[in-house]
Amino acid sequence: MDIVKLIGDRLTLEENGNKFKSICPFHINSEDFYTLLIDPEKQTYTCLKCGAHGGLEEFYKNYEGKTSL
Ligand SMILES: [Zn+2]
């Protein structure tokens, strides 16, 4: 599983150079702001606003509320 695919299946992604960005699902009032940066090389995500970050498993756990892929 690729983190870009995992997040892209759930959120709208926008290309940003060799990275991707999206609207962060982990904080409120995030509607119009692409603060979630996804790094395909490192397979990580980071939100510039709320500080949410991690890899595949953290995203899945936090987004789906389940503990494993
Ligand atoms: Zn956030």
Side-chain angles (χ1 to χ4, degrees), residues 45-57:
Y45 66 92
T46 306
C47 175
L48 298 176
K49 187 159 186 211
C50 72
H53 67 279
L56 268 172
E57 284 188 28

Side-chain angles (χ1 to χ4, degrees), residues 1-16:
M1 177 66 92
D2 183 84
I3 196 163
V4 175
K5 167 123 177 58
L6 180 82
I7 298 178
D9 282 349
R10 292 162 177 81
L11 306 170
T12 303
L13 295 182
E14 213 172 76
E15 263 190 273
N16 184 26

